[in-house]
Amino acid sequence: MTGTAHAPFAAEDYRARMERAAGQAADAGLAGLLVAPGPDLVWLTGYAPTAATERLTLLVLVPGADPVLVVPTLEAPDAAKAAGAPALTLRDWTDGKDPYAATAGLLDASGRFGISDNAWAMHLLGLQRTLPATSYTSLTEALPMLRAVKDSAELELMAAAAEAADRAFEEIRKVRFSGRHETEVGAELAELLRRFGHSQVDFTIVASGPNGANPHHEVGGRVIEEGDMVVLDFGGLKDGYGSDTSRTVHVGEPTDEERRVHDLVREAQEAGFRAVRPGVACQEVDRAARAVITDAGYGEYFIHRTGHGIGVTTHEPPYMIEGEERPLVPGMCFSVEPGVYLPGRFGVRIEDIVTVTEDGGRRLNHTTREMVLVD
């Protein structure tokens, strides 16, 4: 990422996000939020430093006060160009000065703050040393739903990212798989994502034959063979928003069992999708998909959650898993991706990104979920 986010958001959009975040912090009993470089800072301000360094950069959001971005003096010009800069105050500090002292005056000296999960330990320890009566909690733990509900502009960007991933799949299914290394197909898949507009490729899983039984195999040196089932799972960021889709293809003609397992996973994915509607607990999506697989006798081979949230990162809250009772809300986006993994043999996963609508759910991925045969 470079100096500003690609998404077409204006200062007022960022102002509203920062106000919402500060309000949620107050509701959670926090004295404020401390946001380090990373996805949250981009989402709140449009600013992404060219490189996270040992120099402190920190957005300070305190309920009832104007947002302040603490930045190194040498990076202040870039920060001032961010789309959200007009909605905040820049406070710069120069090399040789104490950045924690510069930040301390913005904070309640005995307050509890939410801080970015990816904040450097040295920065958190520096704040604690300067303000020993303060305490801190993970931002994701304190405000897990901060970015979960997307507005209409964000949903358009999510749909565009999904469409780009779909186009990549439509192209990769045309290439030869048999006789090629997984790494070769994975590299081609990554190039297709970039060709269709992705600025960042986060993963390209190409898991053939027995490797398909490992959900996070990614790519390896195995040569794909005739008769292999191949799990493809790929995604990244396009214009600042994530894609993530999975399809399972077969090299040549499948066996009856392979077809049966693929059909089972497709039915489970459909059941999970149909469970999506406002007010339903996240766990119900998992339960609906898992019941189909369990009832068919393959429950022990479905070894991960049914889904995860997605937005400015490819994995974020909420999670579609047993025990997550948070209700679905229109604008939430997440994956629905059940799978069956038979050790030493093959695996099947089918995944779409789904958004919650006013009366149900809408798929953002539209490629066929039927088994695709490849050469």
Side-chain angles (χ1 to χ4, degrees):
M1 289 185 178
T2 54
T4 59
H6 296 290
F9 299 113
E12 288 308 306
D13 297 308
Y14 293 110
R15 187 189 309 278
R17 290 177 184 178
M18 287 188 281
E19 288 177 354
R20 190 169 92 201
Q24 289 185 20
D27 292 343
L30 298 173
L33 303 178
L34 306 177
V35 185
D40 290 315
L41 186 64
V42 174
W43 185 79
L44 287 163
T45 69
Y47 178 53
T50 52
T53 71
E54 74 284 356
R55 293 184 174 97
L56 179 72
T57 295
L58 200 66
L59 174 67
V60 178
L61 297 178
V62 173
D66 290 337
V68 178
L69 182 62
V70 178
V71 293
T73 299
L74 76 169
E75 294 178 9
D78 284 340
K81 296 175 186 176
L88 51 78
T89 298
L90 287 178
R91 175 176 291 190
D92 66 317
W93 61 275
T94 56
D95 283 355
K97 302 294 185 181
D98 183 349
Y100 310 112
T103 306
L106 303 170
L107 307 180
D108 178 343
S110 60
R112 183 167 178 78
F113 295 89
I115 189 166
S116 300
D117 298 23
N118 57 333
W120 284 26
M122 65 178 284
H123 296 321
L124 175 57
L125 293 170
L127 289 169
Q128 288 179 316
R129 188 168 55 248
T130 305
L131 296 171
T134 54
S135 60
Y136 302 86
T137 184
S138 155
L139 185 55
T140 293
E141 184 175 312
L143 301 179
M145 294 296 103
L146 179 62
R147 306 192 313 255
V149 178
K150 278 65 176 176
D151 62 25
S152 58
E154 290 182 294
L155 289 173
E156 287 183 16
L157 291 166
M158 291 291 302
E163 180 185 14
D166 284 354
R167 293 176 70 187
F169 175 71
E170 293 296 357
E171 291 301 313
I172 203 69
R173 62 182 287 186
K174 299 174 186 176
V175 310
R176 183 166 187 83
F177 280 68
S178 180
R180 301 178 70 198
H181 292 93
E182 292 174 344
T183 50
E184 294 178 76
V185 177
E188 196 162 349
L189 193 47
E191 180 54 38
L192 286 167
L193 285 171
R194 294 187 185 96
R195 182 195 304 175
F196 295 123
H198 281 64
S199 60
Q200 177 176 316
V201 176
D202 286 347
F203 48 89
T204 53
I205 293 174
V206 179
S208 63
N211 287 341
N214 175 0
H216 281 171
H217 168 70
E218 296 202 7
V219 296
R222 184 178 184 276
V223 175
I224 302 170
E225 302 173 354
E226 182 80 14
D228 278 349
M229 195 85 89
V230 185
V231 178
L232 303 173
D233 184 348
F234 50 96
L237 298 182
K238 180 183 185 295
D239 294 330
Y241 282 77
S243 69
D244 185 2
T245 187
S246 301
R247 294 293 185 263
T248 303
V249 301
H250 197 277
V251 185
E253 284 297 322
T255 65
D256 289 345
E257 182 189 21
E258 288 170 332
R259 281 197 181 277
R260 186 169 66 251
V261 172
H262 191 281
D263 286 346
L264 175 64
V265 173
R266 181 170 51 81
E267 290 167 14
Q269 206 267 350
E270 177 69 19
F273 169 69
R274 292 193 178 280
V276 175
R277 61 184 181 278
V280 167
C282 292
Q283 67 182 3
E284 294 301 330
V285 178
D286 182 85
R287 287 175 175 177
R290 198 169 299 276
V292 173
I293 292 172
T294 299
D295 289 350
Y298 286 88
E300 66 183 291
Y301 304 113
F302 181 9
I303 55 178
H304 56 72
R305 64 197 175 205
T306 292
H308 58 81
I310 185 171
V312 294
T313 58
T314 49
H315 281 211
E316 61 187 44
Y319 298 102
M320 306 301 117
I321 185 65
E322 182 67 30
E324 178 52 86
E325 297 180 351
R326 183 174 282 108
L328 299 179
V329 176
M332 282 182 174
C333 295
F334 49 86
S335 65
V336 178
E337 51 176 310
V340 168
Y341 308 93
L342 303 178
R345 301 181 62 206
F346 65 88
V348 176
R349 182 164 63 257
I350 300 172
E351 173 186 15
D352 293 324
I353 299 304
V354 172
T355 184
V356 184
T357 65
E358 293 298 329
D359 58 0
R362 173 169 68 96
R363 283 188 168 100
L364 300 186
N365 294 103
H366 301 291
T367 54
T368 182
R369 286 170 292 281
E370 301 287 341
M371 183 184 287
V372 169
L373 305 185
V374 296
D375 294 329

mmCIF file of all heavy atoms in Angstrom, residues 197-225:
data_model
loop_
_atom_site.group_PDB
_atom_site.id
_atom_site.type_symbol
_atom_site.label_atom_id
_atom_site.label_comp_id
_atom_site.label_asym_id
_atom_site.label_seq_id
_atom_site.Cartn_x
_atom_site.Cartn_y
_atom_site.Cartn_z
ATOM 1 N N GLY A 197 -7.210 -6.559 -11.805
ATOM 2 C CA GLY A 197 -7.319 -5.377 -10.975
ATOM 3 C C GLY A 197 -6.875 -5.485 -9.538
ATOM 4 O O GLY A 197 -6.926 -4.492 -8.805
ATOM 5 N N HIS A 198 -6.434 -6.664 -9.105
ATOM 6 C CA HIS A 198 -5.972 -6.774 -7.724
ATOM 7 C C HIS A 198 -4.594 -6.112 -7.568
ATOM 8 O O HIS A 198 -3.685 -6.393 -8.344
ATOM 9 C CB HIS A 198 -5.885 -8.243 -7.291
ATOM 10 C CG HIS A 198 -7.183 -8.851 -6.917
ATOM 11 N ND1 HIS A 198 -8.209 -9.009 -7.833
ATOM 12 C CD2 HIS A 198 -7.658 -9.324 -5.736
ATOM 13 C CE1 HIS A 198 -9.252 -9.579 -7.226
ATOM 14 N NE2 HIS A 198 -8.942 -9.769 -5.952
ATOM 15 N N SER A 199 -4.464 -5.279 -6.550
ATOM 16 C CA SER A 199 -3.167 -4.685 -6.240
ATOM 17 C C SER A 199 -2.376 -5.556 -5.289
ATOM 18 O O SER A 199 -1.165 -5.409 -5.162
ATOM 19 C CB SER A 199 -3.368 -3.297 -5.606
ATOM 20 O OG SER A 199 -4.120 -3.408 -4.412
ATOM 21 N N GLN A 200 -3.066 -6.468 -4.617
ATOM 22 C CA GLN A 200 -2.417 -7.332 -3.624
ATOM 23 C C GLN A 200 -3.028 -8.721 -3.705
ATOM 24 O O GLN A 200 -4.246 -8.873 -3.690
ATOM 25 C CB GLN A 200 -2.643 -6.744 -2.225
ATOM 26 C CG GLN A 200 -2.086 -7.565 -1.080
ATOM 27 C CD GLN A 200 -2.281 -6.860 0.256
ATOM 28 O OE1 GLN A 200 -2.052 -5.667 0.376
ATOM 29 N NE2 GLN A 200 -2.735 -7.598 1.254
ATOM 30 N N VAL A 201 -2.188 -9.738 -3.831
ATOM 31 C CA VAL A 201 -2.634 -11.139 -3.815
ATOM 32 C C VAL A 201 -2.257 -11.711 -2.455
ATOM 33 O O VAL A 201 -1.078 -11.768 -2.104
ATOM 34 C CB VAL A 201 -1.984 -11.947 -4.953
ATOM 35 C CG1 VAL A 201 -2.392 -13.419 -4.866
ATOM 36 C CG2 VAL A 201 -2.383 -11.363 -6.308
ATOM 37 N N ASP A 202 -3.237 -12.111 -1.681
ATOM 38 C CA ASP A 202 -2.989 -12.605 -0.327
ATOM 39 C C ASP A 202 -2.713 -14.102 -0.296
ATOM 40 O O ASP A 202 -1.951 -14.575 0.553
ATOM 41 C CB ASP A 202 -4.164 -12.285 0.587
ATOM 42 C CG ASP A 202 -4.218 -10.813 0.952
ATOM 43 O OD1 ASP A 202 -3.225 -10.103 0.715
ATOM 44 O OD2 ASP A 202 -5.255 -10.360 1.463
ATOM 45 N N PHE A 203 -3.349 -14.861 -1.179
ATOM 46 C CA PHE A 203 -3.136 -16.313 -1.177
ATOM 47 C C PHE A 203 -3.636 -16.907 -2.484
ATOM 48 O O PHE A 203 -4.583 -16.413 -3.086
ATOM 49 C CB PHE A 203 -3.848 -16.986 0.010
ATOM 50 C CG PHE A 203 -5.274 -16.558 0.170
ATOM 51 C CD1 PHE A 203 -6.292 -17.236 -0.479
ATOM 52 C CD2 PHE A 203 -5.601 -15.466 0.956
ATOM 53 C CE1 PHE A 203 -7.610 -16.824 -0.346
ATOM 54 C CE2 PHE A 203 -6.919 -15.055 1.095
ATOM 55 C CZ PHE A 203 -7.923 -15.735 0.440
ATOM 56 N N THR A 204 -2.963 -17.958 -2.919
ATOM 57 C CA THR A 204 -3.419 -18.769 -4.054
ATOM 58 C C THR A 204 -3.195 -20.219 -3.664
ATOM 59 O O THR A 204 -2.101 -20.752 -3.837
ATOM 60 C CB THR A 204 -2.658 -18.431 -5.354
ATOM 61 O OG1 THR A 204 -1.252 -18.526 -5.111
ATOM 62 C CG2 THR A 204 -3.004 -17.044 -5.854
ATOM 63 N N ILE A 205 -4.219 -20.828 -3.124
ATOM 64 C CA ILE A 205 -4.152 -22.238 -2.758
ATOM 65 C C ILE A 205 -4.432 -23.085 -3.995
ATOM 66 O O ILE A 205 -5.455 -22.895 -4.664
ATOM 67 C CB ILE A 205 -5.165 -22.560 -1.642
ATOM 68 C CG1 ILE A 205 -4.757 -21.849 -0.338
ATOM 69 C CG2 ILE A 205 -5.290 -24.068 -1.426
ATOM 70 C CD1 ILE A 205 -5.763 -21.982 0.784
ATOM 71 N N VAL A 206 -3.511 -23.968 -4.317
ATOM 72 C CA VAL A 206 -3.703 -24.966 -5.366
ATOM 73 C C VAL A 206 -3.329 -26.292 -4.716
ATOM 74 O O VAL A 206 -2.147 -26.630 -4.596
ATOM 75 C CB VAL A 206 -2.823 -24.689 -6.601
ATOM 76 C CG1 VAL A 206 -3.044 -25.772 -7.664
ATOM 77 C CG2 VAL A 206 -3.118 -23.305 -7.178
ATOM 78 N N ALA A 207 -4.336 -27.035 -4.263
ATOM 79 C CA ALA A 207 -4.103 -28.238 -3.465
ATOM 80 C C ALA A 207 -4.627 -29.444 -4.238
ATOM 81 O O ALA A 207 -5.826 -29.687 -4.300
ATOM 82 C CB ALA A 207 -4.794 -28.115 -2.106
ATOM 83 N N SER A 208 -3.711 -30.208 -4.804
ATOM 84 C CA SER A 208 -4.099 -31.302 -5.696
ATOM 85 C C SER A 208 -4.047 -32.648 -4.993
ATOM 86 O O SER A 208 -3.211 -32.881 -4.116
ATOM 87 C CB SER A 208 -3.179 -31.322 -6.916
ATOM 88 O OG SER A 208 -1.845 -31.582 -6.527
ATOM 89 N N GLY A 209 -4.954 -33.533 -5.408
ATOM 90 C CA GLY A 209 -4.957 -34.892 -4.890
ATOM 91 C C GLY A 209 -4.965 -34.907 -3.373
ATOM 92 O O GLY A 209 -5.761 -34.211 -2.727
ATOM 93 N N PRO A 210 -4.048 -35.669 -2.731
ATOM 94 C CA PRO A 210 -4.037 -35.752 -1.265
ATOM 95 C C PRO A 210 -3.746 -34.410 -0.582
ATOM 96 O O PRO A 210 -4.122 -34.216 0.571
ATOM 97 C CB PRO A 210 -2.934 -36.782 -0.976
ATOM 98 C CG PRO A 210 -2.117 -36.848 -2.221
ATOM 99 C CD PRO A 210 -3.040 -36.548 -3.353
ATOM 100 N N ASN A 211 -3.111 -33.486 -1.282
ATOM 101 C CA ASN A 211 -2.854 -32.169 -0.686
ATOM 102 C C ASN A 211 -4.158 -31.418 -0.424
ATOM 103 O O ASN A 211 -4.211 -30.524 0.426
ATOM 104 C CB ASN A 211 -1.960 -31.326 -1.593
ATOM 105 C CG ASN A 211 -0.523 -31.803 -1.603
ATOM 106 O OD1 ASN A 211 -0.094 -32.528 -0.711
ATOM 107 N ND2 ASN A 211 0.223 -31.413 -2.619
ATOM 108 N N GLY A 212 -5.197 -31.772 -1.147
ATOM 109 C CA GLY A 212 -6.489 -31.124 -0.967
ATOM 110 C C GLY A 212 -7.116 -31.392 0.383
ATOM 111 O O GLY A 212 -8.046 -30.695 0.798
ATOM 112 N N ALA A 213 -6.613 -32.409 1.095
ATOM 113 C CA ALA A 213 -7.137 -32.718 2.428
ATOM 114 C C ALA A 213 -6.572 -31.781 3.494
ATOM 115 O O ALA A 213 -6.975 -31.844 4.654
ATOM 116 C CB ALA A 213 -6.838 -34.168 2.784
ATOM 117 N N ASN A 214 -5.639 -30.907 3.115
ATOM 118 C CA ASN A 214 -5.097 -29.881 4.006
ATOM 119 C C ASN A 214 -5.704 -28.546 3.591
ATOM 120 O O ASN A 214 -5.343 -27.990 2.551
ATOM 121 C CB ASN A 214 -3.573 -29.836 3.880
ATOM 122 C CG ASN A 214 -2.954 -28.706 4.698
ATOM 123 O OD1 ASN A 214 -3.657 -27.947 5.367
ATOM 124 N ND2 ASN A 214 -1.641 -28.573 4.617
ATOM 125 N N PRO A 215 -6.629 -27.986 4.392
ATOM 126 C CA PRO A 215 -7.345 -26.775 3.967
ATOM 127 C C PRO A 215 -6.445 -25.592 3.629
ATOM 128 O O PRO A 215 -6.806 -24.761 2.793
ATOM 129 C CB PRO A 215 -8.241 -26.463 5.168
ATOM 130 C CG PRO A 215 -8.440 -27.774 5.842
ATOM 131 C CD PRO A 215 -7.154 -28.509 5.669
ATOM 132 N N HIS A 216 -5.264 -25.475 4.254
ATOM 133 C CA HIS A 216 -4.381 -24.340 4.008
ATOM 134 C C HIS A 216 -3.072 -24.764 3.347
ATOM 135 O O HIS A 216 -2.010 -24.187 3.604
ATOM 136 C CB HIS A 216 -4.110 -23.579 5.308
ATOM 137 C CG HIS A 216 -5.233 -22.671 5.686
ATOM 138 N ND1 HIS A 216 -5.295 -22.015 6.899
ATOM 139 C CD2 HIS A 216 -6.348 -22.308 5.020
ATOM 140 C CE1 HIS A 216 -6.407 -21.285 6.949
ATOM 141 N NE2 HIS A 216 -7.055 -21.452 5.823
ATOM 142 N N HIS A 217 -3.162 -25.746 2.460
ATOM 143 C CA HIS A 217 -1.951 -26.249 1.798
ATOM 144 C C HIS A 217 -1.253 -25.183 0.963
ATOM 145 O O HIS A 217 -0.029 -25.165 0.872
ATOM 146 C CB HIS A 217 -2.316 -27.443 0.909
ATOM 147 C CG HIS A 217 -1.207 -27.847 -0.018
ATOM 148 N ND1 HIS A 217 -0.044 -28.438 0.427
ATOM 149 C CD2 HIS A 217 -1.071 -27.722 -1.370
ATOM 150 C CE1 HIS A 217 0.750 -28.685 -0.607
ATOM 151 N NE2 HIS A 217 0.159 -28.248 -1.700
ATOM 152 N N GLU A 218 -1.978 -24.263 0.347
ATOM 153 C CA GLU A 218 -1.451 -23.279 -0.597
ATOM 154 C C GLU A 218 -0.865 -24.004 -1.813
ATOM 155 O O GLU A 218 -1.555 -24.739 -2.474
ATOM 156 C CB GLU A 218 -0.464 -22.327 0.076
ATOM 157 C CG GLU A 218 -1.145 -21.477 1.148
ATOM 158 C CD GLU A 218 -0.413 -20.210 1.475
ATOM 159 O OE1 GLU A 218 0.580 -19.876 0.802
ATOM 160 O OE2 GLU A 218 -0.861 -19.530 2.415
ATOM 161 N N VAL A 219 0.427 -23.816 -2.116
ATOM 162 C CA VAL A 219 0.998 -24.490 -3.291
ATOM 163 C C VAL A 219 2.274 -25.206 -2.891
ATOM 164 O O VAL A 219 2.926 -24.843 -1.925
ATOM 165 C CB VAL A 219 1.300 -23.500 -4.445
ATOM 166 C CG1 VAL A 219 0.036 -22.867 -4.960
ATOM 167 C CG2 VAL A 219 2.297 -22.427 -3.985
ATOM 168 N N GLY A 220 2.613 -26.233 -3.658
ATOM 169 C CA GLY A 220 3.829 -26.992 -3.393
ATOM 170 C C GLY A 220 4.411 -27.523 -4.685
ATOM 171 O O GLY A 220 3.966 -27.179 -5.782
ATOM 172 N N GLY A 221 5.390 -28.398 -4.545
ATOM 173 C CA GLY A 221 6.084 -28.913 -5.714
ATOM 174 C C GLY A 221 5.423 -30.121 -6.347
ATOM 175 O O GLY A 221 5.944 -30.666 -7.325
ATOM 176 N N ARG A 222 4.296 -30.570 -5.817
ATOM 177 C CA ARG A 222 3.647 -31.765 -6.357
ATOM 178 C C ARG A 222 3.202 -31.530 -7.807
ATOM 179 O O ARG A 222 2.689 -30.463 -8.149
ATOM 180 C CB ARG A 222 2.435 -32.142 -5.511
ATOM 181 C CG ARG A 222 1.768 -33.450 -5.955
ATOM 182 C CD ARG A 222 0.588 -33.812 -5.058
ATOM 183 N NE ARG A 222 0.021 -35.102 -5.427
ATOM 184 C CZ ARG A 222 -0.879 -35.273 -6.402
ATOM 185 N NH1 ARG A 222 -1.319 -34.229 -7.088
ATOM 186 N NH2 ARG A 222 -1.321 -36.486 -6.688
ATOM 187 N N VAL A 223 3.394 -32.535 -8.635
ATOM 188 C CA VAL A 223 2.916 -32.480 -10.018
ATOM 189 C C VAL A 223 1.473 -32.950 -10.045
ATOM 190 O O VAL A 223 1.141 -34.038 -9.540
ATOM 191 C CB VAL A 223 3.785 -33.367 -10.939
ATOM 192 C CG1 VAL A 223 3.198 -33.397 -12.350
ATOM 193 C CG2 VAL A 223 5.225 -32.869 -10.974
ATOM 194 N N ILE A 224 0.610 -32.137 -10.595
ATOM 195 C CA ILE A 224 -0.813 -32.468 -10.691
ATOM 196 C C ILE A 224 -0.991 -33.588 -11.713
ATOM 197 O O ILE A 224 -0.391 -33.548 -12.798
ATOM 198 C CB ILE A 224 -1.625 -31.222 -11.102
ATOM 199 C CG1 ILE A 224 -1.403 -30.098 -10.078
ATOM 200 C CG2 ILE A 224 -3.112 -31.561 -11.219
ATOM 201 C CD1 ILE A 224 -1.958 -28.751 -10.514
ATOM 202 N N GLU A 225 -1.807 -34.575 -11.348
ATOM 203 C CA GLU A 225 -1.957 -35.767 -12.181
ATOM 204 C C GLU A 225 -3.393 -35.932 -12.678
ATOM 205 O O GLU A 225 -4.338 -35.421 -12.076
ATOM 206 C CB GLU A 225 -1.573 -37.013 -11.366
ATOM 207 C CG GLU A 225 -0.153 -36.993 -10.817
ATOM 208 C CD GLU A 225 0.111 -38.164 -9.884
ATOM 209 O OE1 GLU A 225 -0.866 -38.905 -9.594
ATOM 210 O OE2 GLU A 225 1.263 -38.330 -9.445
#
